[in-house]
Amino acid sequence: MIDFNAPLFGALLFYLQSLGFIKSPHRNYNGVSMWTFIIKKSIFGMRGVREMSTSMPAVNAYDAVSKKKMAQVGFKAAVNIMDNWGCSSGEIQKVLRIKKSTFHKYKSNPESISLDDDQLERLSYIANIHSSLRIVFDNPENVRGFMTMNNGNAFFNGRTPLSIISSGKFSDLYEVFCRVDALRSGQWG
């Protein structure tokens, strides 16, 4: 099962909230919103939340949003992001590890969504790649177009990030995320 305090899940929650898909929780811990706790912990680890409280209870995302609701919102967000990247339905299905009939069923009836932990984590990686690109690029065309641009860096070897993640392998999605995240933090050389 996914650790719902993981950095990727925290960033997905924040991204979905920023798009208005989910509302900020009303619950506060020692005057700090739960989202602030999740995001600071995901970015800075526990040192980022030490100043908040040493006795703060662990935050469980089930308190904020059910797994089913997260799947519905995350699926919609990931499909929109990948559509903006220029992905075909087939590529989206491979990346998210969803069969064709199930994909179209989910698109037409979001209430029917049932995703396993691996698929939820894939949604999270897509949201985090998009989030990193939005940090790196001011120009929306670069945010949308980066995934389809040939890349000469060592890992990509002239391939596009989209062609790599379209293999459907979780490890490829993870590696592309790591490279894009390194670009965000200025470690790509």
Side-chain angles (χ1 to χ4, degrees), residues 7-8 11 42-44 85 124-137 146-147 151 153 155-156 161 172-189:
L8 297 175
S42 69
I43 294 170
F44 303 110
W85 289 346
S124 181
Y125 277 113
I126 296 300
N128 277 279
I129 289 170
H130 179 71
S131 178
S132 292
L133 292 173
R134 287 186 56 164
I135 291 168
V136 171
F137 299 113
F146 179 85
M147 295 297 286
N151 194 314
N153 284 313
F155 172 76
F156 295 100
D172 288 343
L173 180 61
Y174 172 76
E175 289 299 327
V176 168
F177 162 73
C178 288
R179 292 339 190 261
V180 172
D181 193 53
L183 178 65
R184 175 186 63 88
S185 60
Q187 297 174 2
W188 199 342

Side-chain angles (χ1 to χ4, degrees), residues 45-70:
M46 281 311 293
R47 69 182 165 84
V49 295
R50 272 191 206 123
E51 70 275 5
M52 293 181 208
S53 170
T54 55
S55 62
M56 187 180 299
V59 175
N60 185 339
Y62 285 115
D63 293 343
V65 182
S66 72
K67 184 175 178 179
K68 185 161 185 81
K69 182 67 174 174
M70 184 56 63

